[in-house]
Structure formats: C-alpha cells, structure tokens
C-alpha cells in the first residue's frame, strides 16, 4: 500500500490512479484519512511505485503545481 498526502485535487488523484495500468501495475483506492489517501497496489517494490506515482501526478496539468508527497503505507 502507498499513501499520498495532498490537501488539494484528491478526486483527480483517485481517478488517475484507479485508472492507472502500466505494465500490469495497478492501484486501487482504499480509504481517505484527512489529507491522506491510501491505495492498495500490486507493486512489489513500493519505493519504485511511489516514484512512479509522483511522476505520473506531476505530468498532469493540475499536478505540476500541486504540493503532495507519496510514501509507502505503514
């Protein structure tokens, strides 16, 4: 699982990752806790998955100016 902490554009992030499928890597929204969005993933390397998610969000028109962080869930 991974966590994305973002106060803005949460609906956009959820939609983006729920529809993400690159080389069999998928994410599914699990729950929201305040500004924290938690996603389940089939990724084995969570650090690499976090980097991919961050670059995918930054590539969006609304994501390039968004302040957020992506970390493996505890």
């Amino acid at each position: 699982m991974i966590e994305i902490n973002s106060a803005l554009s949460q609906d956009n992030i959820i939609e983006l990752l729920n529809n993400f499928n690159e080389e069999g890597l998928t994410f599914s929204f699990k729950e929201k806790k305040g500004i924290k969005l938690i996603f389940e993933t089939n990724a084995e390397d969570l650090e690499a998955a976090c980097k991919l998610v961050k670059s995918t969000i930054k590539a969006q028109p609304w994501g390039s100016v968004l302040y957020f962080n992506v970390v493996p869930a505890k």
Side-chain angles (χ1 to χ4, degrees):
M1 289 196 299
I2 64 167
E3 296 177 2
I4 301 173
N5 297 300
S6 177
L8 302 173
S9 298
Q10 291 183 340
D11 292 337
N12 290 339
I13 293 170
I14 292 169
E15 181 180 350
L16 176 67
L17 292 185
N18 277 338
N19 295 317
F20 185 89
N21 187 345
E22 186 174 302
E23 298 178 10
L25 179 63
T26 60
F27 299 92
S28 61
F29 178 68
K30 183 178 177 189
E31 66 181 303
K32 177 181 173 180
K33 294 181 179 178
I35 66 167
K36 185 185 302 184
L37 303 173
I38 300 173
F39 290 85
E40 291 183 347
T41 181
N42 62 349
E44 292 185 21
D45 184 351
L46 292 180
E47 292 293 333
C50 289
K51 289 179 183 178
L52 178 61
V53 166
K54 187 170 185 172
S55 65
T56 300
I57 293 171
K58 288 283 187 187
Q60 303 303 307
W62 48 264
S64 62
V65 295
L66 189 64
Y67 180 75
F68 67 98
N69 74 333
V70 185
V71 296
K74 296 176 184 173

